[in-house]
Amino acid sequence: YALLCGLLVTLFLSGYLTHLLLSAYARDFMSIRLADPVNVALVSGLGQFLLVFFLAWAFSSAARRWIDPLAARVRTRMETEHRPGEVAR
């Protein structure tokens, strides 16, 4: 899980920094028109939103697969070992 999270964070940071650096230093490239009102900068900015939605989906999917079963085991163990209303020490 940690390896996947590290990979996803690296993917996000590299995508964001690429967009940021291109916007700052490659203005001619970012101003290339792809359609009449649409240029590379607009497509790149919208791509950031798509990247964030994809990464959020990947994080939640990984958490559902690896973290939720562990949390369910902990919850079940605590419920069987402790009576309701009892404070765990």
Side-chain angles (χ1 to χ4, degrees):
Y1 179 76
L3 180 64
L4 177 67
C5 289
L7 177 67
L8 293 175
V9 167
T10 302
L11 180 64
F12 168 73
L13 289 175
S14 64
Y16 178 72
L17 287 175
T18 299
H19 174 74
L20 185 70
L21 292 173
L22 285 174
S23 296
Y25 298 109
R27 291 181 182 257
D28 292 337
F29 172 71
M30 295 297 267
S31 65
I32 295 173
R33 290 193 180 275
L34 301 176
D36 189 30
V38 179
N39 61 11
V40 174
L42 181 63
V43 171
S44 177
L46 292 175
Q48 291 296 307
F49 283 106
L50 294 175
L51 179 63
V52 168
F53 284 123
F54 167 75
L55 293 176
W57 170 81
F59 271 119
S60 67
S61 176
R64 198 173 315 117
R65 183 177 304 127
W66 287 303
I67 302 299
D68 287 354
L70 295 174
R73 284 179 32 205
V74 169
R75 184 182 318 111
T76 302
R77 181 176 172 195
M78 293 305 291
E79 288 172 349
T80 57
E81 290 180 4
H82 302 285
R83 293 182 303 234
E86 180 182 351
V87 176
R89 294 178 190 226

